[in-house]
C-alpha cells in the first residue's frame, strides 16, 4: 500500500484514470474519493475532508491526486502526507477554462491550482495544450492581485511539468460496426477475423498505462525521477494515422451482450431512437444519408450554437443527413437544444445521453462523422472514442486538436465546417471509403 490515490471529484475522466491506476497497482494502493457533485465546493473544501478521512500509514511513498484538490492545504493539514512524493495530474486547468463573462471567473480556483503546483514534486498534464495554456497564463492571472504580487511563478513551476496523455481504454466494438468499418480496421490497425468476432492485434498503444503505472510501482523512486518522457502524440504519429487507443482493448463487461448476440435482437433494450435493424443492414448502408454525431456535454463551452447553425444551414439547402446528439445534459440546458430539435425534425436519429456505454459505442459505430465545435478542450476523450468507433472527425484547428489529429481533420471557421459537411452530404461514400491517414 505504497501509493495513496486521492480524487476529490470521482466521476467522468477523473474516475476513469483512478480506476485504471487502481487496477494496475492492485493491492499496492489505497484510493480515497469524493463523489462527482458540486465541483466548486469540492475544490474549496476537499482538503479538510481528506485531512480527517485519509488513513495514516508508514507505508505510503507516493501521493497521486488530480488538480481539483488543493494539495497545499492538504499537506499543511497533514504533514505526514507532505513528506511523500507528490504527483499532481491536470485534467483541465482553471486559468484557461472559458467563462461566459469575465467576472464569472473565481480567482480562488486558479490560485489553488498554482499553490498545488508549488508544493507538488511532479506536475502532469493530459496534453501539451493544457500545460502551455496553464503555464503561460500564470503571469497574467496573478496580475489580478491588486498589489504585492508574487513573481516568476512560471519559472518555478515549469521544470516540474510534463505531458502524459490521458490513457483511454476501449472495449471491442467490432460487433457494432457496419461491414465497411470492419474492413477499415483490417487495413488500418491489423484486426483479424476470428469466426464472427474480430481480434485486435498490434495496436500502437498496447503499452497501456505503463508510464503512470511504472511510476506508481516505483515506490522508492527519488523525487527528481519524474514520471516519464512526454509522448510525441496520442500514440501514433500523424503519418501513421488517427489516434488509436492508448490501452489494449478491454473485454466487454459480463453484463453486456455476448459478441455472438445480434444487436438487432436487442433492439427493444436499447435507448436509441433510430431503427437499429435498418442501420445495421449492410444491404442498404451505402444508400443511407450521412450520419453525424455530436457526443459532448450540453453546455456553452462545447458551442452547440455553432454546431446546430451549421446543421440547419445544411437542412435549408435540402441536403440529406441524420444526426445523433449523444452528450450529457445537466440542470441548465441551453435553449438552442430544444429549438434545434424542433427545427431538425426527422433528421434526428437520437437525442440525449446514453448511460450505457454499450449503447453509446453502438451509436458511435453507426455514425459516419463526429464533430466538435468546442471552445474548450484539454484532451477530448469523446472525439477519440468516436474515432475508435470508425467515425471521421472534424475538429476546430485550435485548442488540443492539432496536437492529436492530422490537419486533414481540422477546420478553421464554421464556414469551412459547413463546406466539408456539404460535400459529405452529397457524397457520403467519400467518408465511408476513407482510410485514415
Amino acid at each position: 500500500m505504497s501509493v495513496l490515490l486521492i480524487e476529490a471529484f470521482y466521476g467522468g475522466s477523473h474516475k476513469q484514470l483512478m480506476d485504471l491506476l487502481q487496477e494496475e497497482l492492485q493491492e499496492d494502493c489505497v484510493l480515497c474519493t469524493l463523489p462527482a457533485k458540486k465541483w466548486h465546493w469540492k475544490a474549496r473544501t476537499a482538503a479538510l475532508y481528506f485531512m480527517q478521512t485519509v488513513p495514516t500509514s508508514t507505508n505510503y511513498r507516493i501521493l497521486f491526486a488530480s488538480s481539483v484538490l488543493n494539495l497545499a492545504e492538504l499537506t499543511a493539514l497533514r504533514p505526514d502526507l507532505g513528506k511523500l512524493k507528490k504527483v499532481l495530474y491536470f485534467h483541465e486547468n482553471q486559468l484557461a477554462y472559458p467563462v461566459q463573462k469575465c467576472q464569472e471567473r473565481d480567482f480562488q480556483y486558479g490560485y489553488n491550482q498554482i499553490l498545488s503546483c508549488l508544493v507538488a514534486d511532479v506536475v502532469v498534464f493530459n496534453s501539451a495544450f493544457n500545460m502551455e495554456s496553464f503555464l503561460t497564463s500564470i503571469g497574467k492571472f496573478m496580475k489580478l492581485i491588486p498589489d504585492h504580487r508574487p513573481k516568476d511563478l512560471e519559472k518555478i513551476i515549469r521544470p516540474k511539468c510534463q505531458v502524459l496523455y490521458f490513457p483511454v481504454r476501449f472495449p471491442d466494438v467490432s460487433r457494432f460496426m457496419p461491414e465497411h468499418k470492419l474492413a477499415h480496421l483490417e487495413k488500418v490497425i491489423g484486426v483479424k477475423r476470428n469466426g464472427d468476432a474480430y481480434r485486435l492485434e498490434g495496436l500502437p498503444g498496447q503499452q497501456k498505462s505503463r508510464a503512470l503505472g511504472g511510476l506508481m510501482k516505483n515506490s522508492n523512486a527519488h523525487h527528481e525521477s519524474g514520471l516519464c518522457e512526454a509522448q510525441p502524440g496520442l500514440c501514433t504519429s500523424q503519418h501513421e494515422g488517427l489516434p488509436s487507443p492508448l490501452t489494449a482493448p478491454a473485454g466487454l463487461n459480463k453484463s453486456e451482450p455476448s459478441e455472438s448476440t445480434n444487436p438487432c435482437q436487442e433492439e427493444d433494450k436499447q435507448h436509441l431512437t433510430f431503427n437499429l435493424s435498418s442501420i445495421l443492414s449492410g444491404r442498404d448502408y451505402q444508400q443511407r444519408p450521412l450520419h453525424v454525431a455530436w457526443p459532448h456535454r450540453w453546455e456553452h463551452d462545447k458551442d452547440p450554437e455553432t454546431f446546430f447553425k451549421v446543421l440547419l444551414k445544411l437542412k435549408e439547402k435540402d441536403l440529406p443527413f441524420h444526426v445523433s446528439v449523444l452528450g450529457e445534459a445537466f440542470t441548465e440546458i441551453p435553449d438552442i437544444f430544444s429549438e434545434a430539435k424542433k427545427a431538425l425534425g426527422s433528421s434526428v436519429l437520437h437525442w440525449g445521453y446514453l448511460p450505457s456505454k454499450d449503447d453509446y459505442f453502438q451509436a458511435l459505430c453507426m455514425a459516419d462523422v463526429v464533430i466538435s465545435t468546442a471552445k474548450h478542450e484539454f484532451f477530448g476523450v469523446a472525439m477519440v472514442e468516436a474515432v475508435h468507433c470508425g467515425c471521421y472527425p472534424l475538429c476546430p484547428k485550435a485548442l488540443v486538436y492539432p496536437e492529436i489529429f492530422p490537419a486533414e481533420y481540422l477546420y478553421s471557421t464554421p464556414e469551412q465546417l459547413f463546406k466539408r459537411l456539404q460535400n459529405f452530404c452529397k457524397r457520403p461514400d467519400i467518408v465511408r471509403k476513407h482510410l485514415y491517414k
Side-chain angles (χ1 to χ4, degrees):
M1 204 167 62
S2 63
V3 181
L4 174 60
L5 305 174
I6 299 180
E7 180 50 67
F9 195 77
Y10 188 58
S13 60
H14 294 237
K15 182 178 185 298
Q16 290 178 37
L17 179 59
M18 288 299 181
D19 289 351
L20 180 59
L21 289 174
Q22 190 175 35
E23 181 181 335
E24 291 288 313
L25 297 169
Q26 298 182 3
E27 296 179 359
D28 197 35
C29 71
V30 59
L31 174 63
C32 301
T33 68
L34 280 169
K37 296 179 180 179
K38 299 187 183 298
W39 177 91
H40 298 86
W41 281 105
K42 298 299 191 299
R44 289 188 180 107
T45 65
L48 190 57
Y49 172 82
F50 287 124
M51 177 200 74
Q52 296 181 330
T53 57
V54 171
T56 58
S57 173
T58 57
N59 295 324
Y60 296 148
R61 296 292 180 272
I62 296 171
L63 189 163
F64 183 96
S66 78
S67 61
V68 176
L69 174 70
N70 187 328
L71 190 58
E73 286 184 349
L74 180 62
T75 55
L77 294 166
R78 284 284 300 270
D80 59 316
L81 302 182
K83 298 175 183 178
L84 307 179
K85 178 175 181 179
K86 298 170 289 297
V87 182
L88 186 69
Y89 191 89
F90 275 74
H91 294 266
E92 63 281 312
N93 78 76
Q94 291 304 306
L95 304 193
Y97 204 94
V99 292
Q100 289 177 301
K101 297 179 181 179
C102 184
Q103 59 264 36
E104 291 181 1
R105 187 179 302 280
D106 190 317
F107 180 84
Q108 194 64 37
Y109 301 128
Y111 183 70
N112 287 353
Q113 290 188 328
I114 292 171
L115 291 180
S116 294
C117 288
L118 291 170
V119 300
D121 299 298
V122 182
V123 182
V124 186
F125 293 83
N126 60 359
S127 67
F129 168 72
N130 192 2
M131 181 176 74
E132 290 301 325
S133 63
F134 177 79
L135 291 173
T136 58
S137 297
I138 291 175
K140 181 180 178 181
F141 182 79
M142 298 307 288
K143 288 181 180 178
L144 295 172
I145 300 174
D147 52 27
H148 296 87
R149 304 182 187 104
K151 299 178 180 179
D152 300 324
L153 295 182
E154 180 186 347
K155 291 181 181 179
I156 297 171
I157 294 172
R158 183 176 284 276
K160 304 179 181 185
C161 298
Q162 54 190 278
V163 174
L164 187 62
Y165 290 90
F166 187 84
V168 182
R169 173 170 287 173
F170 301 110
D172 176 8
V173 297
S174 59
R175 65 194 174 98
F176 298 139
M177 286 185 169
E179 188 64 30
H180 78 281
K181 287 192 176 184
L182 293 174
H184 287 185
L185 282 178
E186 290 183 344
K187 295 178 181 179
V188 176
I189 56 175
V191 295
K192 302 295 182 183
R193 189 183 289 270
N194 181 14
D196 292 331
Y198 279 76
R199 179 166 56 88
L200 297 177
E201 294 183 343
L203 285 173
Q206 283 184 339
Q207 310 97 314
K208 300 177 73 176
S209 57
R210 290 177 187 168
L212 275 173
L215 168 75
M216 297 304 142
K217 291 177 180 177
N218 183 17
S219 60
N220 294 319
H222 295 293
H223 282 236
E224 65 269 16
S225 63
L227 262 172
C228 73
E229 295 298 322
Q231 303 296 324
L234 189 57
C235 66
T236 175
S237 72
Q238 291 190 355
H239 299 289
E240 291 174 326
L242 288 174
S244 300
L246 279 179
T247 68
L252 294 173
N253 296 331
K254 292 181 180 179
S255 61
E256 297 169 337
S258 67
E259 289 197 358
S260 61
T261 301
N262 184 344
C264 300
Q265 296 173 349
E266 301 292 317
E267 183 179 348
D268 59 332
K269 298 180 183 179
Q270 308 299 325
H271 300 288
L272 311 184
T273 60
F274 49 75
N275 187 320
L276 285 175
S277 60
S278 172
I279 295 292
L280 289 169
S281 172
R283 187 174 47 193
D284 63 355
Y285 188 89
Q286 295 296 343
Q287 284 73 47
R288 290 194 302 109
L290 184 75
H291 185 176
V292 177
W294 195 81
H296 308 286
R297 287 182 286 105
W298 292 19
E299 294 185 310
H300 77 92
D301 61 301
K302 300 303 180 183
D303 196 9
E305 290 81 6
T306 292
F307 174 68
F308 290 125
K309 184 177 180 180
V310 169
L311 290 194
L312 292 174
K313 191 174 178 181
L314 294 173
K315 197 167 183 67
E316 288 173 5
K317 292 185 175 291
D318 294 322
L319 292 167
F321 66 90
H322 288 149
V323 61
S324 292
V325 179
L326 303 172
E328 187 172 6
F330 297 93
T331 306
E332 296 182 9
I333 300 176
D335 294 338
I336 186 63
F337 283 93
S338 58
E339 297 167 3
K341 185 180 181 181
K342 182 177 180 180
L344 290 169
S346 60
S347 295
V348 175
L349 287 185
H350 179 267
W351 196 269
Y353 176 65
L354 292 171
S356 164
K357 272 292 186 181
D358 222 15
D359 293 349
Y360 174 71
F361 283 125
Q362 184 167 11
L364 290 178
C365 284
M366 294 305 103
D368 299 307
V369 178
V370 62
I371 293 175
S372 171
T373 46
K375 296 177 180 177
H376 141 253
E377 196 63 79
F378 294 114
F379 182 77
V381 173
M383 292 298 291
V384 178
E385 287 176 334
V387 171
H388 173 73
C389 293
C391 293
Y392 185 108
L394 288 173
C395 317
K397 192 177 181 179
L399 309 172
V400 71
Y401 295 119
E403 193 175 336
I404 297 177
F405 296 100
E408 177 178 357
Y409 306 102
L410 307 177
Y411 64 87
S412 298
T413 65
E415 184 61 29
Q416 287 184 4
L417 174 60
F418 168 75
K419 289 180 179 179
R420 295 291 297 277
L421 288 176
Q422 179 179 241
N423 291 336
F424 291 162
C425 287
K426 294 176 179 177
R427 291 283 308 279
D429 60 299
I430 295 175
V431 174
R432 292 166 188 163
K433 293 178 181 178
H434 176 74
L435 289 179
Y436 306 127
K437 299 176 181 178

